[in-house]
């Protein structure tokens, strides 16, 4: 799988560490962060070829098969809609909302 990670914080780094260390078939090809500096740092740390501050650009990348959402809960809906609209598989381990 070619993966995009949305987010560059603790949980996204946790996922990236696991993918880089254990899942040799899966590669991270794109990362999104709210700030360019954080996206660039994440990309450098994990040898990710593409980074951006646009969720739509990240998930719309033609190389991306799957999107891992490592964002705060309030950003999940936007990220999932963008990923689904782009026709990507989505992995989101937190709830989409905090109430029904």
């Amino acid at each position: 799988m070619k993966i995009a990670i949305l987010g560059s914080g603790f949980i996204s780094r946790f996922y990236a560490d696991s993918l880089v260390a254990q899942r040799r078939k899966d590669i991270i090809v794109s990362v999104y962060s709210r700030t360019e500096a954080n996206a660039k740092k994440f990309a450098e740390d994990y040898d990710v070829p593409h980074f951006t501050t646009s969720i739509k650009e990240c998930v719309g990348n033609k190389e991306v098969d799957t999107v891992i959402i490592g964002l705060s809960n309030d950003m999940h809906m936007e990220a999932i809609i963008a990923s689904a609209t782009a026709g990507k598989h989505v992995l989101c381990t937190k709830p989409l909302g905090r109430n029904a």
Side-chain angles (χ1 to χ4, degrees), residues 15-32:
Y15 292 137
D17 287 340
S18 297
L19 288 165
V20 170
Q22 304 296 326
R23 307 274 315 217
R24 305 271 185 237
K25 294 180 183 180
D26 302 321
I27 59 170
I28 304 166
V29 296
S30 188
V31 64
Y32 156 83

Side-chain angles (χ1 to χ4, degrees), residues 6 8 18 22-25 29 36-37 41 50-51 66-67 75 77 79-80 85 88 93 96 100:
L6 302 183
S8 59
S18 297
Q22 304 296 326
R23 307 274 315 217
R24 305 271 185 237
K25 294 180 183 180
V29 296
E36 186 172 351
K41 174 76 170 126
H50 180 260
F51 64 90
T66 302
V67 178
M75 295 184 72
M77 185 175 294
I80 290 169
T85 300
K88 310 301 178 171
T93 59
L96 297 177

